[in-house]
Amino acid sequence: MGMVKSTNEGNITGFILLGFSDYPQLQTALFVVILILYLLTILGNTTIILISHLEPKLQTPMYFFLSHLSFLDLCFTSSVIPQLLVNLQDPMKTITYGGCMVQLYVSLALGSTECVLLAVMSYDRYVAICRPLHYALLMHPHLCMALTSLAWLSGVATTLVQSTLTLQLPLCGHHQVDHFICEVPVLIKLACVDTTFNEAELFVASILFLVVPISFILVSYGYITQAVLKIKSASGRKKVLGTCSSHVTVVIMFYGAIMFMYLQSAKSTYKDQGKFVSLFYTVVTPMLNPLIYTLRNKEVKEALRKVLGKILVIKFT
């Protein structure tokens, strides 16, 4: 199973996450920046979840999906960043085999779920803009729950397949992971056997969870664009574009980084670029998501002001 029995430093059961060891001068700065971004991620996404549940005006399908996205980002970053922060300060940079396994299963499940959820959110925007008279009928609570359940179950299914197949590869004592996270592509590189099947399976899964959802999103926004062009009022077009722009921005950031990492060959030599791209979608994107939705959405800003106002009133009375 690739467990480390011994190293030059002594007996260790697990892996060494090399992370950014090639850039020792950056590690302290990275620690500070990543810690700040992580705290902002917790604050921002928790705020989105709370106001989506506390403000009656935000209890709609759009914000139901948004609160799930925020919860996903909270869990995803928490499965990666604490270990990364520890390793940035630890010269040994070790992670137990069990810790690596948990990180692999959980991060892949959550990342895959987010791919599907973003496609679901684009469908919600399509119905709201292209079929507004039927929106309440089509996007009823049972369908919203079914769509989010589909996203979560598909994420769990793919990690059970991909992660399990990856952990079956013999590593022949290779325990130095040239990354800061236990991911499928980097663990495949450690295998001492032919990994053609694993690479093919990874490519197929990448098509299903990256290319198919992004194609669905593009088709949805193609119809949305047609609907927007038919709106004669400039203020009406601006309102519709404002509603969609936040989702489009999140999609571009998330899918751009993920596709770079997962659609390249497992034997790709772009290791340093891969690390910083992974850092972007594990640290930066989850922090920016709530900020993007807050700054670009008047409803969220008004709800936030209302909730903060209530809290201040309660505090000082």
Side-chain angles (χ1 to χ4, degrees):
M1 295 287 286
M3 293 178 65
V4 176
K5 298 300 182 184
S6 64
T7 66
N8 293 333
E9 293 83 3
N11 293 326
I12 301 175
T13 302
F15 295 93
I16 297 175
L17 293 175
L18 296 177
F20 299 95
S21 300
D22 293 340
Y23 307 93
Q25 70 280 7
L26 291 180
Q27 292 195 70
T28 301
L30 280 173
F31 177 87
V32 174
V33 171
I34 292 171
L35 177 60
I36 293 172
L37 293 179
Y38 182 47
L39 294 176
L40 290 175
T41 298
I42 295 173
L43 176 63
N45 285 289
T46 302
T47 300
I48 292 291
I49 294 170
L50 288 176
I51 63 174
S52 295
H53 286 81
L54 295 176
E55 177 54 46
K57 289 183 178 180
L58 298 186
Q59 292 176 7
T60 63
M62 176 180 174
Y63 296 103
F64 173 77
F65 295 132
L66 179 57
S67 63
H68 273 267
L69 179 65
S70 292
F71 180 69
L72 271 171
D73 285 338
L74 276 176
C75 296
F76 182 66
T77 54
S78 296
S79 70
V80 176
I81 295 181
Q83 182 67 50
L84 172 57
L85 291 173
V86 169
N87 286 351
L88 283 171
Q89 296 296 301
D90 181 12
M92 296 290 291
K93 303 188 182 304
T94 56
I95 182 173
T96 64
Y97 178 78
C100 185
M101 184 170 63
V102 169
Q103 193 177 77
L104 177 67
Y105 275 96
V106 172
S107 63
L108 180 57
L110 296 173
S112 301
T113 300
E114 186 160 340
C115 289
V116 179
L117 184 63
L118 287 173
V120 169
M121 293 174 74
S122 73
Y123 175 72
D124 172 68
R125 292 300 82 209
Y126 159 76
V127 176
I129 294 167
C130 298
R131 304 187 65 182
L133 298 179
H134 300 91
Y135 182 73
L137 180 64
L138 292 173
M139 299 304 296
H140 53 82
H142 292 298
L143 178 62
C144 294
M145 185 62 70
L147 290 174
T148 52
S149 298
L150 174 64
W152 282 98
L153 289 173
S154 62
V156 171
T158 191
T159 197
L160 288 176
V161 174
Q162 287 194 71
S163 299
T164 302
L165 286 174
T166 302
L167 291 174
Q168 297 303 314
L169 291 171
L171 305 184
C172 303
H174 299 160
H175 63 275
Q176 291 192 344
V177 181
D178 195 8
H179 212 282
F180 64 85
I181 177 177
C182 291
E183 282 190 314
V184 171
V186 295
L187 290 179
I188 288 178
K189 293 178 183 179
L190 297 182
C192 56
V193 295
D194 181 41
T195 58
T196 302
F197 174 78
N198 295 79
E199 291 184 53
E201 189 278 331
L202 175 61
F203 183 76
V204 171
S206 298
I207 295 295
L208 291 175
F209 283 90
L210 295 176
V211 178
V212 173
I214 197 66
S215 299
F216 183 85
I217 292 170
L218 289 173
V219 171
S220 298
Y221 276 100
Y223 284 111
I224 290 172
T225 301
Q226 290 180 346
V228 170
L229 293 175
K230 293 178 182 179
I231 299 175
K232 296 181 179 180
S233 168
S235 60
R237 286 196 298 270
K238 184 178 180 181
K239 182 179 180 180
V240 171
L241 291 174
T243 303
C244 297
S245 60
S246 298
H247 182 250
V248 172
T249 304
V250 170
V251 165
I252 291 173
M253 291 193 308
F254 180 78
Y255 277 100
I258 292 284
M259 290 178 80
F260 177 90
M261 186 67 189
Y262 278 84
L263 289 184
Q264 60 177 307
S265 167
K267 301 298 185 182
S268 173
T269 57
Y270 295 104
K271 62 175 185 176
D272 290 335
Q273 293 92 324
K275 290 178 188 179
F276 286 101
V277 168
S278 295
L279 194 64
F280 183 80
Y281 70 74
T282 56
V283 180
V284 180
T285 301
M287 183 276 297
L288 289 177
N289 285 354
L291 192 62
I292 291 169
Y293 278 102
T294 302
L295 293 178
R296 291 178 173 267
N297 195 304
K298 290 183 179 179
E299 290 179 327
V300 175
K301 287 189 285 188
E302 290 175 2
L304 184 57
R305 283 195 292 265
K306 186 182 294 186
V307 171
L308 290 176
K310 290 179 181 179
I311 292 174
L312 291 174
V313 169
I314 293 173
K315 183 177 181 180
F316 293 103
T317 55

